[in-house]
Amino acid sequence: MVIFEGIYRNYKLIPKVNATPLDSRSTFPASSDKSSAASFEDFNDRLSYVTQLIITRKFSSNLSLVVVPTYLHRNYTTYNDQNDVFALGIGGRAKVSNRIALVADYTFPFRKSWNKKYREDVSGQRYYNALGVGLEMDTGGHIFHLNFTNATAIQESQFISETNSSWGKGQFRWGFSIARRFNFNKK
């Protein structure tokens, strides 16, 4: 059931879920588990900052590579987790034929080993580096993308530091998208 509340300056849609009070600053409830990274006490706890230097090179019409040094700052982390994480992402695209290409990306976060072990011992979850592979198919006007990854999120502050799915255990997600290419040049 959804009700309208107009107590504040702006109207908000606030769902009532088993009479559990929501954080008054958002419609997304904070976790009551204080060891969770989603246990927000303040709006600033929800913020994270990412800075990346994207370095690409197209070696030929068949091969492109990218290197992405990354700095990630999270305002709120669980106890004994790092607020600042440096990572290195690498990726590439290799054409197999005129219409098919393989794509891949890998992100390696530089975590302190004692910190990573502590987090794994406390949470019972192991953290993995994000790895994605995909296939691009060009049909002439549309480009179909079929992607597989072990990352559980698309936001950098989550997939760099909190990927807990393993390819070795068959824990991956798949995504699909279609892009349309338009040509407005008359020749």
Side-chain angles (χ1 to χ4, degrees), residues 24-61:
S24 65
R25 292 170 295 277
S26 172
T27 58
F28 178 74
S31 173
S32 59
D33 178 9
K34 293 298 179 189
S35 67
S36 169
S39 174
F40 307 114
E41 296 178 8
D42 185 315
F43 174 76
N44 289 330
D45 292 344
R46 295 175 181 253
L47 301 179
S48 62
Y49 307 92
V50 177
T51 302
Q52 296 180 312
L53 178 64
I54 301 171
I55 305 165
T56 63
R57 171 94 193 261
K58 186 171 185 175
F59 290 96
S60 69
S61 62

Side-chain angles (χ1 to χ4, degrees), residues 88-143:
L88 182 65
I90 57 172
R93 179 179 184 270
K95 286 181 78 172
V96 178
S97 70
N98 282 342
R99 302 209 176 245
I100 295 178
L102 297 174
V103 294
D105 64 89
Y106 179 77
T107 303
F108 180 79
F110 296 99
R111 287 183 168 268
K112 299 173 185 167
S113 60
W114 63 269
N115 186 283
K116 182 178 178 181
K117 181 167 175 15
Y118 174 83
R119 290 281 303 134
E120 290 173 355
D121 291 344
V122 168
S123 69
Q125 292 182 335
R126 184 158 180 223
Y127 294 98
Y128 299 91
N129 301 338
L131 171 66
V133 294
L135 183 67
E136 288 183 359
M137 293 165 280
D138 188 345
T139 62
H142 293 83
I143 301 174

